[in-house]
Amino acid sequence: MTRPIIGRVAPERWRTIGATAPGQRTVGEPGTARIAVDLLGGDQAPDVVVDGALRACQADPSLHLTLVGPADAADAVLAALDPADRQRITTAITPADTVRNAVRAIAQGHADALVSAGDTAVTVLAAARELGRWPGVRRPALAAILPTAAGRLVLLDVGSTVDPDAATLAVHARLGAAYASVVNGVTEPRVGLLTIGSEPGKGDRLRRALPPLLEELPLPAAARYIGLVEGNDVVLGSAADVVVTDGFTGNVLLKGLETGYALAGPPAPDTDLPPRAALLLGVGGTVVVCHGAATGPDLAAGIGFAADLHRRASVAAIADLLRYSEVSHD
């Protein structure tokens, strides 16, 4: 079964998950962003998620939140807001299965995007089932934006697919190139494959088999495959704008770099740091995944990132570059 990608479909009837606060909306107003927030996602949930939701709501007067989770956690957000701000909060009370219910808010037209710091596998599975996958994307990819000495770089996958085959990484190369073009504004993105050396033949069996496929692969946004890159190229950012790897290696690299940057500072200290959040590419909606160890400011940044992606219609623009207009629910 296929259906249009979220953003091109009229909102369906909202299926009630639980009690809702005054001011519930089913259609977003111009300039608003309706973000579903998984209150139980994260190692320190719900407290840290409540903190992040409050920060995000107070920082963006055009933000509307649907808080999905237990009543006491949702009430903590409402109690801390001014009465006028409470009108921008919808509560979806559910004691469990919060990610699936939050994804359904997007599928049914009640929210524009989802933010969760919960289990990555659960989030990816719920998004794929409820929102559908783009044609040819059997395994969606989590794409993170990293600061580098030369600017910003897209790293994918960072945790969704830990054991991909060559065809999966080839699809991820296309997703990453479109993402770099739309979100980072890169003209003719350079796509590299992460391995242990830049010389031909370096790496494990998968990394040795993939270059011939990438060399012949048509990439969107006039992107081009530039060959093998190493870990130092990810920090410097001068060799590639997109770095493709498996989710296991990408997650290890991401967490190591973030810890190093926290201790020593990023390689370009005068630039704004991108949010510590990843966009799930290949599903029919905007799904942002934060670290399980995310702090309140991290969650707020993730919510702000999701709102910006929605306002720029980024997921639809990426799909357009890849010539996808529908998703599959098979």
Side-chain angles (χ1 to χ4, degrees), residues 51-284:
D51 180 33
L54 283 171
R55 290 172 183 266
C57 195
Q58 291 167 345
D60 184 349
S62 296
L63 188 68
H64 294 255
L65 298 182
T66 295
L67 306 177
V68 185
D72 55 348
D75 289 344
V77 179
L78 294 170
L81 291 171
D82 293 333
D85 287 332
R86 292 174 196 164
Q87 302 302 309
R88 298 189 284 121
I89 301 294
T90 297
T91 59
I93 305 305
T94 176
D97 214 10
T98 52
V99 172
R100 180 176 295 277
N101 284 318
V103 173
R104 284 176 179 165
I106 304 176
Q108 297 169 2
H110 192 70
D112 302 310
L114 158 70
V115 174
S116 177
D119 184 274
T120 297
V122 173
T123 303
V124 173
L125 181 61
R129 285 182 173 176
E130 298 292 335
L131 302 176
R133 294 170 297 178
W134 293 350
V137 182
R138 294 194 57 81
R139 295 187 175 187
L142 275 174
I145 299 175
L146 298 180
T148 74
R152 292 190 172 190
L153 175 146
V154 175
L155 176 68
L156 76 166
D157 182 28
V158 294
S160 175
T161 304
V162 298
D163 56 349
D165 56 16
T168 296
L169 288 189
V171 170
H172 289 182
R174 288 176 48 79
L175 294 174
Y179 184 47
S181 174
V182 170
V183 176
N184 287 352
V186 179
T187 302
E188 300 182 0
R190 301 161 298 165
V191 179
L193 175 65
L194 184 65
T195 186
I196 57 174
S198 58
E199 303 85 2
K202 286 285 189 176
D204 57 10
R205 182 178 302 174
L206 175 61
R207 251 59 57 153
R208 294 195 301 271
L210 196 55
L213 181 59
L214 293 177
E215 289 167 0
E216 299 297 326
L217 183 70
L219 296 172
R224 64 188 190 280
Y225 173 63
I226 53 88
L228 304 178
V229 297
E230 302 180 63
N232 58 296
D233 294 312
V234 175
V235 177
L236 296 174
S238 57
D241 306 296
V242 179
V243 171
V244 178
T245 190
D246 63 274
F248 181 90
T249 303
N251 190 271
V252 171
L253 175 62
L254 175 67
K255 290 177 179 177
L257 287 175
E258 287 183 337
T259 301
Y261 294 161
L263 294 173
D270 295 333
T271 61
D272 293 333
L273 291 177
R276 295 180 63 199
L279 175 63
L280 184 62
L281 292 171
V283 298

Side-chain angles (χ1 to χ4, degrees), residues 304-330:
F305 180 49
D308 182 62
L309 290 170
H310 165 67
R311 288 172 177 143
R312 296 169 58 188
S314 296
V315 170
I318 293 168
D320 286 342
L321 272 180
L322 296 165
R323 299 185 179 181
Y324 297 153
S325 61
E326 291 185 328
V327 293
S328 173
H329 286 266
D330 57 5

